[in-house]
PDB file of all heavy atoms in Angstrom:
ATOM      1  N   ILE A 286     104.362  94.439  67.143  1.00  0.00           N
ATOM      2  CA  ILE A 286     104.493  94.444  68.603  1.00  0.00           C
ATOM      3  C   ILE A 286     104.340  95.862  69.158  1.00  0.00           C
ATOM      4  O   ILE A 286     103.618  96.055  70.144  1.00  0.00           O
ATOM      5  CB  ILE A 286     105.818  93.794  69.052  1.00  0.00           C
ATOM      6  CG1 ILE A 286     105.824  92.306  68.702  1.00  0.00           C
ATOM      7  CG2 ILE A 286     106.070  93.994  70.539  1.00  0.00           C
ATOM      8  CD1 ILE A 286     104.768  91.482  69.432  1.00  0.00           C
ATOM      9  N   PRO A 287     104.965  96.903  68.569  1.00  0.00           N
ATOM     10  CA  PRO A 287     104.757  98.254  69.109  1.00  0.00           C
ATOM     11  C   PRO A 287     103.283  98.673  69.118  1.00  0.00           C
ATOM     12  O   PRO A 287     102.822  99.305  70.065  1.00  0.00           O
ATOM     13  CB  PRO A 287     105.580  99.146  68.180  1.00  0.00           C
ATOM     14  CG  PRO A 287     106.670  98.257  67.682  1.00  0.00           C
ATOM     15  CD  PRO A 287     106.010  96.910  67.526  1.00  0.00           C
ATOM     16  N   ARG A 288     102.530  98.293  68.095  1.00  0.00           N
ATOM     17  CA  ARG A 288     101.102  98.642  68.072  1.00  0.00           C
ATOM     18  C   ARG A 288     100.335  97.865  69.141  1.00  0.00           C
ATOM     19  O   ARG A 288      99.425  98.394  69.770  1.00  0.00           O
ATOM     20  CB  ARG A 288     100.508  98.409  66.689  1.00  0.00           C
ATOM     21  CG  ARG A 288     100.939  99.479  65.700  1.00  0.00           C
ATOM     22  CD  ARG A 288     100.254  99.333  64.377  1.00  0.00           C
ATOM     23  NE  ARG A 288     100.592 100.464  63.518  1.00  0.00           N
ATOM     24  CZ  ARG A 288      99.895 100.804  62.457  1.00  0.00           C
ATOM     25  NH1 ARG A 288      98.833 100.107  62.110  1.00  0.00           N
ATOM     26  NH2 ARG A 288     100.267 101.842  61.730  1.00  0.00           N
ATOM     27  N   LEU A 289     100.688  96.602  69.331  1.00  0.00           N
ATOM     28  CA  LEU A 289     100.049  95.815  70.399  1.00  0.00           C
ATOM     29  C   LEU A 289     100.400  96.394  71.774  1.00  0.00           C
ATOM     30  O   LEU A 289      99.545  96.457  72.655  1.00  0.00           O
ATOM     31  CB  LEU A 289     100.461  94.346  70.297  1.00  0.00           C
ATOM     32  CG  LEU A 289      99.857  93.562  69.132  1.00  0.00           C
ATOM     33  CD1 LEU A 289     100.569  92.224  68.971  1.00  0.00           C
ATOM     34  CD2 LEU A 289      98.366  93.363  69.324  1.00  0.00           C
ATOM     35  N   GLU A 290     101.653  96.803  71.953  1.00  0.00           N
ATOM     36  CA  GLU A 290     102.064  97.424  73.220  1.00  0.00           C
ATOM     37  C   GLU A 290     101.275  98.717  73.463  1.00  0.00           C
ATOM     38  O   GLU A 290     100.872  99.007  74.590  1.00  0.00           O
ATOM     39  CB  GLU A 290     103.564  97.725  73.213  1.00  0.00           C
ATOM     40  CG  GLU A 290     104.452  96.503  73.222  1.00  0.00           C
ATOM     41  CD  GLU A 290     104.722  95.925  74.604  1.00  0.00           C
ATOM     42  OE1 GLU A 290     104.102  96.363  75.595  1.00  0.00           O
ATOM     43  OE2 GLU A 290     105.571  95.021  74.687  1.00  0.00           O
ATOM     44  N   LEU A 291     101.042  99.482  72.406  1.00  0.00           N
ATOM     45  CA  LEU A 291     100.260 100.716  72.518  1.00  0.00           C
ATOM     46  C   LEU A 291      98.809 100.385  72.862  1.00  0.00           C
ATOM     47  O   LEU A 291      98.178 101.072  73.674  1.00  0.00           O
ATOM     48  CB  LEU A 291     100.347 101.498  71.210  1.00  0.00           C
ATOM     49  CG  LEU A 291      99.875 102.936  71.237  1.00  0.00           C
ATOM     50  CD1 LEU A 291     100.651 103.770  72.254  1.00  0.00           C
ATOM     51  CD2 LEU A 291     100.013 103.547  69.846  1.00  0.00           C
ATOM     52  N   GLN A 292      98.277  99.324  72.276  1.00  0.00           N
ATOM     53  CA  GLN A 292      96.918  98.880  72.599  1.00  0.00           C
ATOM     54  C   GLN A 292      96.833  98.451  74.060  1.00  0.00           C
ATOM     55  O   GLN A 292      95.845  98.737  74.748  1.00  0.00           O
ATOM     56  CB  GLN A 292      96.509  97.731  71.669  1.00  0.00           C
ATOM     57  CG  GLN A 292      95.054  97.384  71.715  1.00  0.00           C
ATOM     58  CD  GLN A 292      94.154  98.511  71.252  1.00  0.00           C
ATOM     59  OE1 GLN A 292      94.479  99.250  70.323  1.00  0.00           O
ATOM     60  NE2 GLN A 292      93.024  98.663  71.902  1.00  0.00           N
ATOM     61  N   ALA A 293      97.864  97.794  74.560  1.00  0.00           N
ATOM     62  CA  ALA A 293      97.898  97.410  75.975  1.00  0.00           C
ATOM     63  C   ALA A 293      97.916  98.651  76.863  1.00  0.00           C
ATOM     64  O   ALA A 293      97.228  98.696  77.895  1.00  0.00           O
ATOM     65  CB  ALA A 293      99.126  96.533  76.254  1.00  0.00           C
ATOM     66  N   ALA A 294      98.676  99.666  76.474  1.00  0.00           N
ATOM     67  CA  ALA A 294      98.720 100.912  77.253  1.00  0.00           C
ATOM     68  C   ALA A 294      97.344 101.577  77.289  1.00  0.00           C
ATOM     69  O   ALA A 294      96.900 102.061  78.338  1.00  0.00           O
ATOM     70  CB  ALA A 294      99.760 101.869  76.664  1.00  0.00           C
ATOM     71  N   LEU A 295      96.650 101.581  76.164  1.00  0.00           N
ATOM     72  CA  LEU A 295      95.292 102.153  76.125  1.00  0.00           C
ATOM     73  C   LEU A 295      94.342 101.341  77.002  1.00  0.00           C
ATOM     74  O   LEU A 295      93.527 101.899  77.733  1.00  0.00           O
ATOM     75  CB  LEU A 295      94.789 102.199  74.680  1.00  0.00           C
ATOM     76  CG  LEU A 295      93.386 102.759  74.480  1.00  0.00           C
ATOM     77  CD1 LEU A 295      93.267 104.179  75.022  1.00  0.00           C
ATOM     78  CD2 LEU A 295      93.009 102.711  73.005  1.00  0.00           C
ATOM     79  N   THR A 296      94.475 100.025  76.988  1.00  0.00           N
ATOM     80  CA  THR A 296      93.663  99.162  77.855  1.00  0.00           C
ATOM     81  C   THR A 296      93.947  99.480  79.323  1.00  0.00           C
ATOM     82  O   THR A 296      93.029  99.509  80.152  1.00  0.00           O
ATOM     83  CB  THR A 296      93.940  97.678  77.548  1.00  0.00           C
ATOM     84  OG1 THR A 296      93.650  97.444  76.165  1.00  0.00           O
ATOM     85  CG2 THR A 296      93.104  96.760  78.418  1.00  0.00           C
ATOM     86  N   GLY A 297      95.212  99.729  79.648  1.00  0.00           N
ATOM     87  CA  GLY A 297      95.567 100.100  81.025  1.00  0.00           C
ATOM     88  C   GLY A 297      94.917 101.397  81.452  1.00  0.00           C
ATOM     89  O   GLY A 297      94.428 101.522  82.584  1.00  0.00           O
ATOM     90  N   ILE A 298      94.872 102.382  80.561  1.00  0.00           N
ATOM     91  CA  ILE A 298      94.212 103.663  80.858  1.00  0.00           C
ATOM     92  C   ILE A 298      92.732 103.430  81.141  1.00  0.00           C
ATOM     93  O   ILE A 298      92.175 103.940  82.115  1.00  0.00           O
ATOM     94  CB  ILE A 298      94.391 104.648  79.673  1.00  0.00           C
ATOM     95  CG1 ILE A 298      95.816 105.168  79.623  1.00  0.00           C
ATOM     96  CG2 ILE A 298      93.388 105.788  79.726  1.00  0.00           C
ATOM     97  CD1 ILE A 298      96.172 106.146  80.719  1.00  0.00           C
ATOM     98  N   LYS A 299      92.084 102.653  80.279  1.00  0.00           N
ATOM     99  CA  LYS A 299      90.647 102.377  80.449  1.00  0.00           C
ATOM    100  C   LYS A 299      90.382 101.610  81.738  1.00  0.00           C
ATOM    101  O   LYS A 299      89.418 101.896  82.460  1.00  0.00           O
ATOM    102  CB  LYS A 299      90.116 101.609  79.241  1.00  0.00           C
ATOM    103  CG  LYS A 299      90.085 102.449  77.978  1.00  0.00           C
ATOM    104  CD  LYS A 299      89.619 101.629  76.786  1.00  0.00           C
ATOM    105  CE  LYS A 299      89.554 102.478  75.525  1.00  0.00           C
ATOM    106  NZ  LYS A 299      89.109 101.694  74.363  1.00  0.00           N
ATOM    107  N   GLN A 300      91.236 100.635  82.049  1.00  0.00           N
ATOM    108  CA  GLN A 300      91.076  99.856  83.275  1.00  0.00           C
ATOM    109  C   GLN A 300      91.209 100.746  84.503  1.00  0.00           C
ATOM    110  O   GLN A 300      90.416 100.666  85.439  1.00  0.00           O
ATOM    111  CB  GLN A 300      92.120  98.739  83.318  1.00  0.00           C
ATOM    112  CG  GLN A 300      92.114  97.936  84.602  1.00  0.00           C
ATOM    113  CD  GLN A 300      93.049  96.761  84.507  1.00  0.00           C
ATOM    114  OE1 GLN A 300      92.828  95.856  83.709  1.00  0.00           O
ATOM    115  NE2 GLN A 300      94.106  96.767  85.308  1.00  0.00           N
ATOM    116  N   GLU A 301      92.196 101.613  84.496  1.00  0.00           N
ATOM    117  CA  GLU A 301      92.435 102.501  85.634  1.00  0.00           C
ATOM    118  C   GLU A 301      91.258 103.465  85.824  1.00  0.00           C
ATOM    119  O   GLU A 301      90.853 103.754  86.941  1.00  0.00           O
ATOM    120  CB  GLU A 301      93.750 103.249  85.404  1.00  0.00           C
ATOM    121  CG  GLU A 301      94.301 103.934  86.630  1.00  0.00           C
ATOM    122  CD  GLU A 301      94.025 105.424  86.629  1.00  0.00           C
ATOM    123  OE1 GLU A 301      93.394 105.938  85.705  1.00  0.00           O
ATOM    124  OE2 GLU A 301      94.444 106.068  87.589  1.00  0.00           O
ATOM    125  N   LYS A 302      90.665 103.938  84.729  1.00  0.00           N
ATOM    126  CA  LYS A 302      89.485 104.805  84.809  1.00  0.00           C
ATOM    127  C   LYS A 302      88.318 104.074  85.466  1.00  0.00           C
ATOM    128  O   LYS A 302      87.620 104.628  86.303  1.00  0.00           O
ATOM    129  CB  LYS A 302      89.073 105.284  83.415  1.00  0.00           C
ATOM    130  CG  LYS A 302      89.862 106.458  82.906  1.00  0.00           C
ATOM    131  CD  LYS A 302      89.503 106.873  81.488  1.00  0.00           C
ATOM    132  CE  LYS A 302      88.035 106.842  81.172  1.00  0.00           C
ATOM    133  NZ  LYS A 302      87.722 107.207  79.786  1.00  0.00           N
ATOM    134  N   VAL A 303      88.109 102.815  85.091  1.00  0.00           N
ATOM    135  CA  VAL A 303      87.030 102.004  85.674  1.00  0.00           C
ATOM    136  C   VAL A 303      87.258 101.834  87.174  1.00  0.00           C
ATOM    137  O   VAL A 303      86.335 101.989  87.983  1.00  0.00           O
ATOM    138  CB  VAL A 303      86.924 100.633  84.976  1.00  0.00           C
ATOM    139  CG1 VAL A 303      86.057  99.672  85.769  1.00  0.00           C
ATOM    140  CG2 VAL A 303      86.402 100.790  83.566  1.00  0.00           C
ATOM    141  N   ILE A 304      88.482 101.532  87.557  1.00  0.00           N
ATOM    142  CA  ILE A 304      88.791 101.328  88.977  1.00  0.00           C
ATOM    143  C   ILE A 304      88.508 102.595  89.782  1.00  0.00           C
ATOM    144  O   ILE A 304      87.865 102.541  90.831  1.00  0.00           O
ATOM    145  CB  ILE A 304      90.268 100.886  89.157  1.00  0.00           C
ATOM    146  CG1 ILE A 304      90.446  99.468  88.629  1.00  0.00           C
ATOM    147  CG2 ILE A 304      90.696 100.981  90.619  1.00  0.00           C
ATOM    148  CD1 ILE A 304      91.892  99.036  88.489  1.00  0.00           C
ATOM    149  N   ARG A 305      88.956 103.736  89.290  1.00  0.00           N
ATOM    150  CA  ARG A 305      88.733 104.993  90.025  1.00  0.00           C
ATOM    151  C   ARG A 305      87.240 105.315  90.114  1.00  0.00           C
ATOM    152  O   ARG A 305      86.764 105.770  91.141  1.00  0.00           O
ATOM    153  CB  ARG A 305      89.493 106.145  89.377  1.00  0.00           C
ATOM    154  CG  ARG A 305      90.983 106.066  89.657  1.00  0.00           C
ATOM    155  CD  ARG A 305      91.751 107.305  89.242  1.00  0.00           C
ATOM    156  NE  ARG A 305      91.638 107.539  87.808  1.00  0.00           N
ATOM    157  CZ  ARG A 305      91.324 108.707  87.259  1.00  0.00           C
ATOM    158  NH1 ARG A 305      91.095 109.759  88.003  1.00  0.00           N
ATOM    159  NH2 ARG A 305      91.253 108.840  85.957  1.00  0.00           N
ATOM    160  N   ARG A 306      86.503 105.053  89.047  1.00  0.00           N
ATOM    161  CA  ARG A 306      85.071 105.339  89.048  1.00  0.00           C
ATOM    162  C   ARG A 306      84.306 104.393  89.982  1.00  0.00           C
ATOM    163  O   ARG A 306      83.446 104.811  90.745  1.00  0.00           O
ATOM    164  CB  ARG A 306      84.521 105.236  87.628  1.00  0.00           C
ATOM    165  CG  ARG A 306      83.043 105.586  87.533  1.00  0.00           C
ATOM    166  CD  ARG A 306      82.484 105.421  86.135  1.00  0.00           C
ATOM    167  NE  ARG A 306      82.457 104.006  85.778  1.00  0.00           N
ATOM    168  CZ  ARG A 306      82.978 103.504  84.657  1.00  0.00           C
ATOM    169  NH1 ARG A 306      83.564 104.278  83.792  1.00  0.00           N
ATOM    170  NH2 ARG A 306      82.906 102.204  84.420  1.00  0.00           N
ATOM    171  N   GLU A 307      84.633 103.107  89.939  1.00  0.00           N
ATOM    172  CA  GLU A 307      83.861 102.104  90.676  1.00  0.00           C
ATOM    173  C   GLU A 307      84.248 101.961  92.143  1.00  0.00           C
ATOM    174  O   GLU A 307      83.454 101.505  92.939  1.00  0.00           O
ATOM    175  CB  GLU A 307      83.971 100.746  89.974  1.00  0.00           C
ATOM    176  CG  GLU A 307      83.404 100.724  88.575  1.00  0.00           C
ATOM    177  CD  GLU A 307      81.909 101.007  88.517  1.00  0.00           C
ATOM    178  OE1 GLU A 307      81.188 100.608  89.449  1.00  0.00           O
ATOM    179  OE2 GLU A 307      81.469 101.636  87.538  1.00  0.00           O
ATOM    180  N   THR A 308      85.472 102.321  92.510  1.00  0.00           N
ATOM    181  CA  THR A 308      85.894 102.119  93.896  1.00  0.00           C
ATOM    182  C   THR A 308      85.847 103.387  94.735  1.00  0.00           C
ATOM    183  O   THR A 308      85.861 103.318  95.948  1.00  0.00           O
ATOM    184  CB  THR A 308      87.335 101.573  93.964  1.00  0.00           C
ATOM    185  OG1 THR A 308      88.218 102.533  93.381  1.00  0.00           O
ATOM    186  CG2 THR A 308      87.453 100.236  93.269  1.00  0.00           C
ATOM    187  N   ASN A 309      85.844 104.540  94.095  1.00  0.00           N
ATOM    188  CA  ASN A 309      85.873 105.830  94.805  1.00  0.00           C
ATOM    189  C   ASN A 309      87.084 105.958  95.729  1.00  0.00           C
ATOM    190  O   ASN A 309      87.014 106.629  96.755  1.00  0.00           O
ATOM    191  CB  ASN A 309      84.580 106.061  95.596  1.00  0.00           C
ATOM    192  CG  ASN A 309      83.391 106.204  94.683  1.00  0.00           C
ATOM    193  OD1 ASN A 309      83.472 106.845  93.641  1.00  0.00           O
ATOM    194  ND2 ASN A 309      82.285 105.580  95.055  1.00  0.00           N
ATOM    195  N   ILE A 310      88.176 105.299  95.393  1.00  0.00           N
ATOM    196  CA  ILE A 310      89.402 105.419  96.180  1.00  0.00           C
ATOM    197  C   ILE A 310      90.000 106.796  95.905  1.00  0.00           C
ATOM    198  O   ILE A 310      90.133 107.203  94.757  1.00  0.00           O
ATOM    199  CB  ILE A 310      90.420 104.329  95.792  1.00  0.00           C
ATOM    200  CG1 ILE A 310      89.872 102.950  96.121  1.00  0.00           C
ATOM    201  CG2 ILE A 310      91.762 104.559  96.484  1.00  0.00           C
ATOM    202  CD1 ILE A 310      90.728 101.811  95.586  1.00  0.00           C
ATOM    203  N   GLU A 311      90.342 107.516  96.968  1.00  0.00           N
ATOM    204  CA  GLU A 311      91.019 108.801  96.809  1.00  0.00           C
ATOM    205  C   GLU A 311      92.486 108.524  96.540  1.00  0.00           C
ATOM    206  O   GLU A 311      93.215 108.099  97.422  1.00  0.00           O
ATOM    207  CB  GLU A 311      90.840 109.670  98.051  1.00  0.00           C
ATOM    208  CG  GLU A 311      89.447 110.236  98.181  1.00  0.00           C
ATOM    209  CD  GLU A 311      89.364 111.328  99.231  1.00  0.00           C
ATOM    210  OE1 GLU A 311      90.320 112.125  99.350  1.00  0.00           O
ATOM    211  OE2 GLU A 311      88.350 111.345  99.924  1.00  0.00           O
ATOM    212  N   VAL A 312      92.883 108.766  95.311  1.00  0.00           N
ATOM    213  CA  VAL A 312      94.233 108.433  94.864  1.00  0.00           C
ATOM    214  C   VAL A 312      95.100 109.687  94.856  1.00  0.00           C
ATOM    215  O   VAL A 312      94.732 110.696  94.258  1.00  0.00           O
ATOM    216  CB  VAL A 312      94.185 107.815  93.450  1.00  0.00           C
ATOM    217  CG1 VAL A 312      95.574 107.536  92.934  1.00  0.00           C
ATOM    218  CG2 VAL A 312      93.349 106.545  93.458  1.00  0.00           C
ATOM    219  N   ALA A 313      96.253 109.608  95.528  1.00  0.00           N
ATOM    220  CA  ALA A 313      97.186 110.737  95.556  1.00  0.00           C
ATOM    221  C   ALA A 313      97.989 110.817  94.260  1.00  0.00           C
ATOM    222  O   ALA A 313      98.249 111.900  93.756  1.00  0.00           O
ATOM    223  CB  ALA A 313      98.124 110.618  96.750  1.00  0.00           C
ATOM    224  N   GLU A 314      98.397 109.655  93.729  1.00  0.00           N
ATOM    225  CA  GLU A 314      99.182 109.630  92.499  1.00  0.00           C
ATOM    226  C   GLU A 314      98.807 108.416  91.677  1.00  0.00           C
ATOM    227  O   GLU A 314      98.397 107.382  92.210  1.00  0.00           O
ATOM    228  CB  GLU A 314     100.684 109.595  92.799  1.00  0.00           C
ATOM    229  CG  GLU A 314     101.224 110.910  93.306  1.00  0.00           C
ATOM    230  CD  GLU A 314     102.738 110.941  93.306  1.00  0.00           C
ATOM    231  OE1 GLU A 314     103.326 110.859  92.203  1.00  0.00           O
ATOM    232  OE2 GLU A 314     103.309 111.029  94.391  1.00  0.00           O
ATOM    233  N   ARG A 315      98.978 108.571  90.362  1.00  0.00           N
ATOM    234  CA  ARG A 315      98.715 107.486  89.409  1.00  0.00           C
ATOM    235  C   ARG A 315      99.984 107.251  88.606  1.00  0.00           C
ATOM    236  O   ARG A 315     100.614 108.183  88.137  1.00  0.00           O
ATOM    237  CB  ARG A 315      97.579 107.888  88.473  1.00  0.00           C
ATOM    238  CG  ARG A 315      96.309 108.215  89.205  1.00  0.00           C
ATOM    239  CD  ARG A 315      95.321 109.042  88.359  1.00  0.00           C
ATOM    240  NE  ARG A 315      95.111 108.519  87.031  1.00  0.00           N
ATOM    241  CZ  ARG A 315      95.026 109.290  85.942  1.00  0.00           C
ATOM    242  NH1 ARG A 315      95.141 110.586  86.019  1.00  0.00           N
ATOM    243  NH2 ARG A 315      94.822 108.747  84.762  1.00  0.00           N
ATOM    244  N   TYR A 316     100.339 105.975  88.440  1.00  0.00           N
ATOM    245  CA  TYR A 316     101.534 105.585  87.705  1.00  0.00           C
ATOM    246  C   TYR A 316     101.134 104.554  86.650  1.00  0.00           C
ATOM    247  O   TYR A 316     100.318 103.667  86.920  1.00  0.00           O
ATOM    248  CB  TYR A 316     102.577 104.953  88.626  1.00  0.00           C
ATOM    249  CG  TYR A 316     103.128 105.883  89.669  1.00  0.00           C
ATOM    250  CD1 TYR A 316     102.477 106.066  90.887  1.00  0.00           C
ATOM    251  CD2 TYR A 316     104.304 106.585  89.441  1.00  0.00           C
ATOM    252  CE1 TYR A 316     102.983 106.924  91.848  1.00  0.00           C
ATOM    253  CE2 TYR A 316     104.821 107.447  90.405  1.00  0.00           C
ATOM    254  CZ  TYR A 316     104.154 107.606  91.601  1.00  0.00           C
ATOM    255  OH  TYR A 316     104.658 108.456  92.554  1.00  0.00           O
ATOM    256  N   PHE A 317     101.750 104.664  85.490  1.00  0.00           N
ATOM    257  CA  PHE A 317     101.552 103.697  84.428  1.00  0.00           C
ATOM    258  C   PHE A 317     102.929 103.179  84.033  1.00  0.00           C
ATOM    259  O   PHE A 317     103.874 103.951  83.906  1.00  0.00           O
ATOM    260  CB  PHE A 317     100.860 104.349  83.226  1.00  0.00           C
ATOM    261  CG  PHE A 317      99.495 104.879  83.570  1.00  0.00           C
ATOM    262  CD1 PHE A 317      99.333 106.203  83.960  1.00  0.00           C
ATOM    263  CD2 PHE A 317      98.377 104.060  83.521  1.00  0.00           C
ATOM    264  CE1 PHE A 317      98.088 106.698  84.306  1.00  0.00           C
ATOM    265  CE2 PHE A 317      97.126 104.551  83.864  1.00  0.00           C
ATOM    266  CZ  PHE A 317      96.982 105.872  84.258  1.00  0.00           C
ATOM    267  N   TRP A 318     103.023 101.851  83.852  1.00  0.00           N
ATOM    268  CA  TRP A 318     104.308 101.206  83.605  1.00  0.00           C
ATOM    269  C   TRP A 318     104.218 100.356  82.350  1.00  0.00           C
ATOM    270  O   TRP A 318     103.240  99.635  82.143  1.00  0.00           O
ATOM    271  CB  TRP A 318     104.669 100.306  84.785  1.00  0.00           C
ATOM    272  CG  TRP A 318     104.800 101.019  86.089  1.00  0.00           C
ATOM    273  CD1 TRP A 318     103.794 101.304  86.984  1.00  0.00           C
ATOM    274  CD2 TRP A 318     105.996 101.540  86.667  1.00  0.00           C
ATOM    275  NE1 TRP A 318     104.311 101.959  88.075  1.00  0.00           N
ATOM    276  CE2 TRP A 318     105.657 102.127  87.911  1.00  0.00           C
ATOM    277  CE3 TRP A 318     107.329 101.565  86.260  1.00  0.00           C
ATOM    278  CZ2 TRP A 318     106.583 102.727  88.744  1.00  0.00           C
ATOM    279  CZ3 TRP A 318     108.262 102.168  87.093  1.00  0.00           C
ATOM    280  CH2 TRP A 318     107.894 102.734  88.318  1.00  0.00           C
ATOM    281  N   THR A 319     105.241 100.432  81.505  1.00  0.00           N
ATOM    282  CA  THR A 319     105.348  99.600  80.318  1.00  0.00           C
ATOM    283  C   THR A 319     106.806  99.197  80.134  1.00  0.00           C
ATOM    284  O   THR A 319     107.704  99.913  80.567  1.00  0.00           O
ATOM    285  CB  THR A 319     104.832 100.335  79.062  1.00  0.00           C
ATOM    286  OG1 THR A 319     104.985  99.476  77.920  1.00  0.00           O
ATOM    287  CG2 THR A 319     105.568 101.643  78.807  1.00  0.00           C
ATOM    288  N   ASP A 320     107.001  98.061  79.495  1.00  0.00           N
ATOM    289  CA  ASP A 320     108.383  97.660  79.188  1.00  0.00           C
ATOM    290  C   ASP A 320     108.741  98.006  77.748  1.00  0.00           C
ATOM    291  O   ASP A 320     109.799  97.649  77.262  1.00  0.00           O
ATOM    292  CB  ASP A 320     108.613  96.170  79.482  1.00  0.00           C
ATOM    293  CG  ASP A 320     107.656  95.257  78.752  1.00  0.00           C
ATOM    294  OD1 ASP A 320     106.966  95.711  77.811  1.00  0.00           O
ATOM    295  OD2 ASP A 320     107.587  94.065  79.111  1.00  0.00           O
ATOM    296  N   SER A 321     107.864  98.755  77.079  1.00  0.00           N
ATOM    297  CA  SER A 321     108.088  99.135  75.688  1.00  0.00           C
ATOM    298  C   SER A 321     108.709 100.531  75.587  1.00  0.00           C
ATOM    299  O   SER A 321     108.061 101.533  75.883  1.00  0.00           O
ATOM    300  CB  SER A 321     106.767  99.106  74.911  1.00  0.00           C
ATOM    301  OG  SER A 321     106.947  99.664  73.626  1.00  0.00           O
ATOM    302  N   ILE A 322     109.950 100.572  75.139  1.00  0.00           N
ATOM    303  CA  ILE A 322     110.624 101.867  74.922  1.00  0.00           C
ATOM    304  C   ILE A 322     109.911 102.638  73.818  1.00  0.00           C
ATOM    305  O   ILE A 322     109.802 103.870  73.874  1.00  0.00           O
ATOM    306  CB  ILE A 322     112.113 101.641  74.546  1.00  0.00           C
ATOM    307  CG1 ILE A 322     112.854 100.951  75.682  1.00  0.00           C
ATOM    308  CG2 ILE A 322     112.793 102.947  74.164  1.00  0.00           C
ATOM    309  CD1 ILE A 322     113.046 101.775  76.912  1.00  0.00           C
ATOM    310  N   ILE A 323     109.383 101.942  72.816  1.00  0.00           N
ATOM    311  CA  ILE A 323     108.695 102.614  71.718  1.00  0.00           C
ATOM    312  C   ILE A 323     107.439 103.332  72.222  1.00  0.00           C
ATOM    313  O   ILE A 323     107.184 104.482  71.861  1.00  0.00           O
ATOM    314  CB  ILE A 323     108.370 101.617  70.583  1.00  0.00           C
ATOM    315  CG1 ILE A 323     109.676 101.127  69.968  1.00  0.00           C
ATOM    316  CG2 ILE A 323     107.468 102.250  69.533  1.00  0.00           C
ATOM    317  CD1 ILE A 323     109.521 100.017  68.960  1.00  0.00           C
ATOM    318  N   VAL A 324     106.659 102.687  73.074  1.00  0.00           N
ATOM    319  CA  VAL A 324     105.476 103.341  73.647  1.00  0.00           C
ATOM    320  C   VAL A 324     105.900 104.555  74.466  1.00  0.00           C
ATOM    321  O   VAL A 324     105.291 105.628  74.366  1.00  0.00           O
ATOM    322  CB  VAL A 324     104.638 102.356  74.490  1.00  0.00           C
ATOM    323  CG1 VAL A 324     103.582 103.087  75.315  1.00  0.00           C
ATOM    324  CG2 VAL A 324     103.985 101.318  73.589  1.00  0.00           C
ATOM    325  N   MET A 325     106.942 104.408  75.250  1.00  0.00           N
ATOM    326  CA  MET A 325     107.449 105.550  76.025  1.00  0.00           C
ATOM    327  C   MET A 325     107.816 106.700  75.093  1.00  0.00           C
ATOM    328  O   MET A 325     107.510 107.854  75.362  1.00  0.00           O
ATOM    329  CB  MET A 325     108.665 105.137  76.851  1.00  0.00           C
ATOM    330  CG  MET A 325     108.392 104.111  77.926  1.00  0.00           C
ATOM    331  SD  MET A 325     107.396 104.758  79.263  1.00  0.00           S
ATOM    332  CE  MET A 325     108.523 105.959  79.943  1.00  0.00           C
TER     333      MET A 325
END
């Protein structure tokens, strides 16, 4: 489960990169959230 949670976190990073590239939204701050203490 910790490795899967880490894979989900990496997927979140990649997804957020795609959104910023494709939408050109000027973002003031970026936040990432997980319920995994181990990933944190």
Side-chain angles (χ1 to χ4, degrees):
I286 294 296
R288 285 186 174 199
L289 288 168
E290 292 276 8
L291 194 59
Q292 192 63 37
L295 179 58
T296 302
I298 287 288
K299 291 177 179 180
Q300 175 173 295
E301 195 258 1
K302 278 177 41 182
V303 166
I304 290 168
R305 286 190 299 131
R306 183 183 68 232
E307 298 297 326
T308 62
N309 295 319
I310 296 172
E311 286 193 38
V312 177
E314 287 192 64
R315 302 161 48 221
Y316 296 86
F317 299 93
W318 300 87
T319 179
D320 56 14
S321 171
I322 298 291
I323 294 173
V324 168
M325 295 291 294

